[in-house]
Short mmCIF file of all heavy atoms in Angstrom, two decimals:
data_model
loop_
_atom_site.label_atom_id
_atom_site.label_comp_id
_atom_site.label_asym_id
_atom_site.label_seq_id
_atom_site.Cartn_x
_atom_site.Cartn_y
_atom_site.Cartn_z
N THR C 828 212.83 -61.92 135.98
CA THR C 828 213.90 -62.22 135.10
C THR C 828 215.08 -62.57 135.96
O THR C 828 215.88 -63.54 135.56
CB THR C 828 214.18 -60.91 134.26
OG1 THR C 828 212.93 -60.36 133.86
CG2 THR C 828 214.93 -61.27 132.99
N TRP C 829 215.48 -61.80 136.87
CA TRP C 829 216.59 -62.02 137.69
C TRP C 829 216.60 -63.43 138.19
O TRP C 829 217.63 -64.24 138.18
CB TRP C 829 216.61 -61.05 138.82
CG TRP C 829 217.81 -60.98 139.67
CD1 TRP C 829 219.09 -60.41 139.19
CD2 TRP C 829 218.08 -61.54 140.82
NE1 TRP C 829 219.99 -60.64 140.21
CE2 TRP C 829 219.49 -61.36 141.21
CE3 TRP C 829 217.29 -62.32 141.79
CZ2 TRP C 829 219.94 -61.72 142.45
CZ3 TRP C 829 217.90 -62.64 142.99
CH2 TRP C 829 219.27 -62.45 143.17
N MET C 830 215.41 -63.90 138.76
CA MET C 830 215.35 -65.25 139.40
C MET C 830 215.40 -66.30 138.31
O MET C 830 216.11 -67.31 138.44
CB MET C 830 214.08 -65.33 140.20
CG MET C 830 214.30 -64.55 141.48
SD MET C 830 213.02 -64.45 142.63
CE MET C 830 211.64 -65.37 142.24
N LEU C 831 214.64 -66.07 137.21
CA LEU C 831 214.65 -67.12 136.12
C LEU C 831 216.06 -67.32 135.70
O LEU C 831 216.48 -68.51 135.28
CB LEU C 831 213.57 -66.72 135.09
CG LEU C 831 212.13 -66.85 135.42
CD1 LEU C 831 211.28 -66.34 134.37
CD2 LEU C 831 211.88 -68.23 135.72
N VAL C 832 216.72 -66.22 135.30
CA VAL C 832 218.12 -66.26 134.73
C VAL C 832 219.02 -67.09 135.63
O VAL C 832 219.71 -68.10 135.27
CB VAL C 832 218.65 -64.96 134.48
CG1 VAL C 832 220.14 -65.09 134.18
CG2 VAL C 832 217.87 -64.33 133.42
N ARG C 833 218.81 -66.81 137.05
CA ARG C 833 219.61 -67.63 137.94
C ARG C 833 219.24 -69.11 137.96
O ARG C 833 220.10 -69.97 138.17
CB ARG C 833 219.59 -67.02 139.32
CG ARG C 833 220.88 -66.25 139.83
CD ARG C 833 220.52 -65.11 140.46
NE ARG C 833 221.14 -63.93 139.76
CZ ARG C 833 222.30 -63.52 140.10
NH1 ARG C 833 222.92 -63.98 141.02
NH2 ARG C 833 222.68 -62.47 139.33
N TYR C 834 217.92 -69.18 137.83
CA TYR C 834 217.48 -70.66 138.02
C TYR C 834 217.85 -71.60 136.76
O TYR C 834 218.30 -72.62 136.89
CB TYR C 834 215.96 -70.63 138.20
CG TYR C 834 215.34 -72.01 138.24
CD1 TYR C 834 215.37 -72.69 139.52
CD2 TYR C 834 214.67 -72.55 137.16
CE1 TYR C 834 214.84 -73.82 139.60
CE2 TYR C 834 213.99 -73.76 137.42
CZ TYR C 834 214.07 -74.42 138.51
OH TYR C 834 213.63 -75.72 138.72
N PHE C 835 217.72 -71.04 135.54
CA PHE C 835 217.97 -71.82 134.43
C PHE C 835 219.39 -71.88 133.99
O PHE C 835 219.85 -72.82 133.44
CB PHE C 835 217.08 -71.34 133.19
CG PHE C 835 215.63 -71.61 133.29
CD1 PHE C 835 214.61 -70.64 133.54
CD2 PHE C 835 215.24 -72.92 133.17
CE1 PHE C 835 213.19 -71.05 133.57
CE2 PHE C 835 213.96 -73.27 133.28
CZ PHE C 835 212.91 -72.42 133.44
N PHE C 836 220.05 -70.74 134.33
CA PHE C 836 221.47 -70.66 133.91
C PHE C 836 222.34 -70.60 135.14
O PHE C 836 222.39 -71.62 135.88
CB PHE C 836 221.70 -69.50 132.94
CG PHE C 836 220.82 -69.60 131.75
CD1 PHE C 836 219.61 -68.92 131.66
CD2 PHE C 836 221.17 -70.45 130.75
CE1 PHE C 836 218.89 -69.03 130.53
CE2 PHE C 836 220.37 -70.56 129.52
CZ PHE C 836 219.10 -69.92 129.48
N HIS C 837 223.05 -69.46 135.42
CA HIS C 837 223.78 -69.41 136.58
C HIS C 837 223.81 -67.96 137.03
O HIS C 837 223.36 -67.03 136.23
CB HIS C 837 225.19 -69.98 136.21
CG HIS C 837 225.74 -69.17 135.06
ND1 HIS C 837 226.57 -68.05 135.16
CD2 HIS C 837 225.65 -69.36 133.68
CE1 HIS C 837 226.83 -67.65 133.96
NE2 HIS C 837 226.27 -68.37 133.10
N GLY C 838 224.55 -67.68 138.09
CA GLY C 838 224.72 -66.35 138.54
C GLY C 838 226.16 -65.93 138.76
O GLY C 838 226.45 -65.04 139.46
N ARG C 839 227.00 -66.71 137.96
CA ARG C 839 228.40 -66.47 138.22
C ARG C 839 228.83 -65.08 137.51
O ARG C 839 228.01 -64.58 136.72
CB ARG C 839 229.18 -67.55 137.38
CG ARG C 839 229.16 -68.86 138.10
CD ARG C 839 230.26 -69.81 137.71
NE ARG C 839 230.05 -69.95 136.32
CZ ARG C 839 229.29 -70.91 135.77
NH1 ARG C 839 228.52 -71.65 136.44
NH2 ARG C 839 229.26 -71.12 134.38
N ILE C 840 229.87 -64.61 137.88
CA ILE C 840 230.28 -63.30 137.35
C ILE C 840 231.81 -63.26 137.46
O ILE C 840 232.50 -63.83 138.37
CB ILE C 840 229.70 -62.10 138.04
CG1 ILE C 840 229.37 -61.04 137.07
CG2 ILE C 840 230.47 -61.53 139.16
CD1 ILE C 840 228.20 -60.27 137.53
N ARG C 841 232.51 -62.69 136.46
CA ARG C 841 233.96 -62.57 136.44
C ARG C 841 234.31 -60.98 136.25
O ARG C 841 233.64 -60.37 135.67
CB ARG C 841 234.52 -63.28 135.42
CG ARG C 841 235.95 -63.45 135.36
CD ARG C 841 236.44 -64.88 134.88
NE ARG C 841 235.82 -65.07 133.56
CZ ARG C 841 236.36 -64.94 132.29
NH1 ARG C 841 237.61 -64.56 132.23
NH2 ARG C 841 235.68 -65.25 131.18
N ARG C 842 235.28 -60.65 137.01
CA ARG C 842 235.74 -59.24 136.85
C ARG C 842 236.94 -59.13 136.00
O ARG C 842 237.74 -60.03 135.93
CB ARG C 842 236.13 -58.73 138.18
CG ARG C 842 234.89 -58.37 139.20
CD ARG C 842 234.23 -57.18 138.86
NE ARG C 842 233.04 -57.03 139.79
CZ ARG C 842 232.46 -55.83 139.80
NH1 ARG C 842 232.77 -54.85 139.10
NH2 ARG C 842 231.44 -55.78 140.71
N GLY C 843 236.92 -58.07 135.11
CA GLY C 843 238.08 -58.02 134.28
C GLY C 843 238.28 -56.51 133.99
O GLY C 843 237.41 -55.65 134.33
N PRO C 844 239.26 -56.25 133.11
CA PRO C 844 239.38 -54.71 132.74
C PRO C 844 238.34 -54.40 131.66
O PRO C 844 237.86 -55.19 131.09
CB PRO C 844 240.67 -54.70 132.14
CG PRO C 844 241.15 -56.12 131.72
CD PRO C 844 240.32 -56.93 132.68
N ALA C 845 237.98 -53.17 131.51
CA ALA C 845 237.04 -52.75 130.63
C ALA C 845 237.39 -53.08 129.21
O ALA C 845 238.63 -53.11 128.80
CB ALA C 845 236.79 -51.20 130.66
N TRP C 846 236.48 -53.34 128.39
CA TRP C 846 236.80 -53.92 126.94
C TRP C 846 237.03 -52.71 126.07
O TRP C 846 238.09 -52.63 125.45
CB TRP C 846 235.58 -54.74 126.57
CG TRP C 846 235.37 -54.90 125.05
CD1 TRP C 846 234.23 -54.66 124.31
CD2 TRP C 846 236.36 -55.42 124.08
NE1 TRP C 846 234.31 -54.99 123.10
CE2 TRP C 846 235.62 -55.43 122.86
CE3 TRP C 846 237.57 -55.93 124.12
CZ2 TRP C 846 236.22 -55.92 121.69
CZ3 TRP C 846 238.15 -56.39 122.91
CH2 TRP C 846 237.50 -56.37 121.75
N ASP C 847 236.11 -51.84 125.84
CA ASP C 847 236.24 -50.65 125.10
C ASP C 847 236.78 -50.86 123.65
O ASP C 847 237.83 -50.25 123.20
CB ASP C 847 237.14 -49.60 125.77
CG ASP C 847 236.93 -48.11 125.27
OD1 ASP C 847 235.89 -48.02 124.83
OD2 ASP C 847 237.91 -47.41 125.35
N CYS C 848 236.27 -51.82 122.93
CA CYS C 848 236.74 -52.30 121.68
C CYS C 848 238.22 -52.54 121.55
O CYS C 848 238.79 -52.49 120.61
CB CYS C 848 236.44 -51.07 120.71
SG CYS C 848 234.91 -51.17 119.89
N GLY C 849 238.67 -53.09 122.72
CA GLY C 849 240.08 -53.59 122.70
C GLY C 849 241.03 -52.56 122.85
O GLY C 849 242.27 -52.87 122.60
N PHE C 850 240.78 -51.31 123.22
CA PHE C 850 241.85 -50.35 123.22
C PHE C 850 242.75 -50.68 124.55
O PHE C 850 242.09 -50.76 125.58
CB PHE C 850 241.18 -48.93 123.49
CG PHE C 850 240.86 -48.16 122.17
CD1 PHE C 850 240.57 -48.95 121.04
CD2 PHE C 850 240.87 -46.83 122.05
CE1 PHE C 850 240.36 -48.31 119.87
CE2 PHE C 850 240.55 -46.22 120.98
CZ PHE C 850 240.29 -47.02 119.71
N PRO C 851 243.94 -50.68 124.34
CA PRO C 851 244.74 -51.15 125.37
C PRO C 851 244.75 -50.08 126.45
O PRO C 851 244.71 -50.35 127.66
CB PRO C 851 246.10 -51.55 124.82
CG PRO C 851 246.09 -50.73 123.50
CD PRO C 851 244.69 -50.51 123.07
N ALA C 852 245.19 -48.86 126.10
CA ALA C 852 245.43 -47.83 127.01
C ALA C 852 244.18 -47.03 127.17
O ALA C 852 243.66 -46.35 126.36
CB ALA C 852 246.56 -46.91 126.54
N GLN C 853 243.67 -47.10 128.45
CA GLN C 853 242.50 -46.39 128.81
C GLN C 853 242.75 -45.50 129.95
O GLN C 853 243.19 -46.02 131.10
CB GLN C 853 241.32 -47.27 129.06
CG GLN C 853 240.87 -48.15 127.89
CD GLN C 853 239.87 -49.10 128.25
OE1 GLN C 853 239.15 -49.02 129.34
NE2 GLN C 853 239.89 -50.29 127.64
N THR C 854 242.48 -44.28 129.86
CA THR C 854 242.67 -43.41 130.96
C THR C 854 241.30 -42.62 131.17
O THR C 854 240.40 -42.70 130.33
CB THR C 854 243.68 -42.22 130.63
OG1 THR C 854 243.24 -41.43 129.63
CG2 THR C 854 244.96 -42.87 130.21
N SER C 855 241.12 -42.12 132.30
CA SER C 855 239.85 -41.52 132.66
C SER C 855 239.67 -40.25 131.89
O SER C 855 238.67 -39.67 131.69
CB SER C 855 239.82 -41.17 134.12
OG SER C 855 240.84 -40.15 134.48
N ARG C 856 240.79 -39.73 131.21
CA ARG C 856 240.55 -38.48 130.32
C ARG C 856 239.95 -38.80 129.11
O ARG C 856 239.64 -37.93 128.28
CB ARG C 856 242.03 -37.87 130.08
CG ARG C 856 242.65 -37.36 131.56
CD ARG C 856 243.82 -36.65 131.08
NE ARG C 856 243.59 -35.62 130.09
CZ ARG C 856 243.86 -34.38 130.28
NH1 ARG C 856 244.37 -33.92 131.40
NH2 ARG C 856 243.54 -33.51 129.33
N MET C 857 239.81 -40.09 128.75
CA MET C 857 239.11 -40.44 127.50
C MET C 857 237.55 -40.32 127.59
O MET C 857 236.88 -40.42 126.58
CB MET C 857 239.46 -41.88 127.18
CG MET C 857 240.87 -42.04 126.56
SD MET C 857 241.30 -43.63 126.18
CE MET C 857 242.77 -43.66 125.47
N GLN C 858 237.08 -40.21 128.76
CA GLN C 858 235.72 -40.07 128.92
C GLN C 858 235.19 -38.65 128.38
O GLN C 858 236.04 -37.80 128.28
CB GLN C 858 235.21 -40.20 130.39
CG GLN C 858 235.65 -41.46 131.09
CD GLN C 858 235.47 -41.29 132.62
OE1 GLN C 858 234.25 -41.61 133.05
NE2 GLN C 858 236.51 -40.75 133.31
N ASP C 859 233.97 -38.58 128.15
CA ASP C 859 233.41 -37.31 127.72
C ASP C 859 233.51 -36.30 128.91
O ASP C 859 233.32 -36.70 130.03
CB ASP C 859 231.95 -37.42 127.33
CG ASP C 859 231.72 -37.63 125.93
OD1 ASP C 859 232.64 -38.01 125.22
OD2 ASP C 859 230.67 -37.57 125.55
N THR C 860 234.07 -35.12 128.61
CA THR C 860 233.91 -34.18 129.60
C THR C 860 232.51 -33.58 129.49
O THR C 860 231.71 -33.89 128.73
CB THR C 860 234.95 -32.98 129.31
OG1 THR C 860 234.73 -32.62 127.94
CG2 THR C 860 236.34 -33.38 129.46
N ALA C 861 232.21 -32.52 130.42
CA ALA C 861 230.98 -32.00 130.38
C ALA C 861 230.75 -31.27 129.08
O ALA C 861 229.69 -31.22 128.47
CB ALA C 861 230.88 -30.97 131.58
N GLU C 862 231.79 -30.57 128.54
CA GLU C 862 231.76 -29.86 127.23
C GLU C 862 231.36 -30.90 126.16
O GLU C 862 230.63 -30.62 125.24
CB GLU C 862 233.03 -29.12 126.98
CG GLU C 862 233.28 -27.86 127.83
CD GLU C 862 233.78 -28.15 129.15
OE1 GLU C 862 234.19 -29.44 129.30
OE2 GLU C 862 233.83 -27.38 129.96
N GLY C 863 232.13 -32.06 126.20
CA GLY C 863 231.98 -33.07 125.23
C GLY C 863 230.52 -33.63 125.24
O GLY C 863 229.95 -33.81 124.04
N PHE C 864 229.99 -33.76 126.35
CA PHE C 864 228.54 -34.35 126.45
C PHE C 864 227.63 -33.31 125.91
O PHE C 864 226.61 -33.56 125.38
CB PHE C 864 228.30 -34.75 127.85
CG PHE C 864 227.28 -35.81 127.89
CD1 PHE C 864 227.61 -37.26 127.89
CD2 PHE C 864 225.96 -35.52 127.91
CE1 PHE C 864 226.62 -38.16 127.86
CE2 PHE C 864 224.96 -36.47 128.00
CZ PHE C 864 225.31 -37.74 127.87
N GLY C 865 227.90 -31.98 126.07
CA GLY C 865 227.10 -31.01 125.70
C GLY C 865 227.17 -30.52 124.22
O GLY C 865 226.29 -29.92 123.79
N GLN C 866 228.19 -31.31 123.65
CA GLN C 866 228.50 -30.98 122.13
C GLN C 866 227.24 -31.07 121.23
O GLN C 866 226.98 -30.14 120.48
CB GLN C 866 229.65 -31.73 121.67
CG GLN C 866 230.04 -31.48 120.15
CD GLN C 866 230.05 -32.63 119.35
OE1 GLN C 866 229.56 -33.62 119.73
NE2 GLN C 866 230.77 -32.65 118.24
N PRO C 867 226.52 -32.13 121.30
CA PRO C 867 225.43 -32.26 120.30
C PRO C 867 224.45 -31.08 120.50
O PRO C 867 223.84 -30.55 119.48
CB PRO C 867 224.68 -33.58 120.64
CG PRO C 867 225.79 -34.29 121.25
CD PRO C 867 226.69 -33.45 121.99
N VAL C 868 224.08 -30.58 121.71
CA VAL C 868 223.23 -29.54 121.92
C VAL C 868 223.82 -28.27 121.42
O VAL C 868 223.16 -27.46 120.82
CB VAL C 868 222.82 -29.40 123.37
CG1 VAL C 868 222.08 -28.24 123.82
CG2 VAL C 868 222.15 -30.64 123.88
N ARG C 869 225.12 -28.20 121.54
CA ARG C 869 225.82 -26.92 121.08
C ARG C 869 225.64 -26.84 119.59
O ARG C 869 225.49 -25.80 119.00
CB ARG C 869 227.27 -26.93 121.46
CG ARG C 869 227.47 -25.55 122.33
CD ARG C 869 228.96 -25.68 122.88
NE ARG C 869 229.93 -26.41 122.13
CZ ARG C 869 230.63 -27.34 122.63
NH1 ARG C 869 230.55 -27.64 123.89
NH2 ARG C 869 231.65 -28.04 121.91
N VAL C 870 225.74 -28.05 118.85
CA VAL C 870 225.78 -27.99 117.46
C VAL C 870 224.30 -27.91 116.90
O VAL C 870 224.01 -27.08 116.05
CB VAL C 870 226.28 -29.31 116.94
CG1 VAL C 870 226.14 -29.45 115.41
CG2 VAL C 870 227.80 -29.50 117.23
#
Side-chain angles (χ1 to χ4, degrees):
Chain C
T828 320
W829 189 77
M830 284 176 9
L831 286 177
V832 167
R833 247 144 244 263
Y834 179 76
F835 283 113
F836 301 99
H837 57 90
R839 290 194 303 276
I840 216 152
R841 189 148 48 101
R842 292 277 181 170
W846 154 238
D847 200 27
C848 268
F850 273 26
Q853 297 171 25
T854 70
S855 63
R856 297 188 49 127
M857 287 178 174
Q858 304 169 85
D859 268 15
T860 53
E862 287 82 8
F864 204 88
Q866 178 236 18
V868 172
R869 239 178 23 236
V870 172

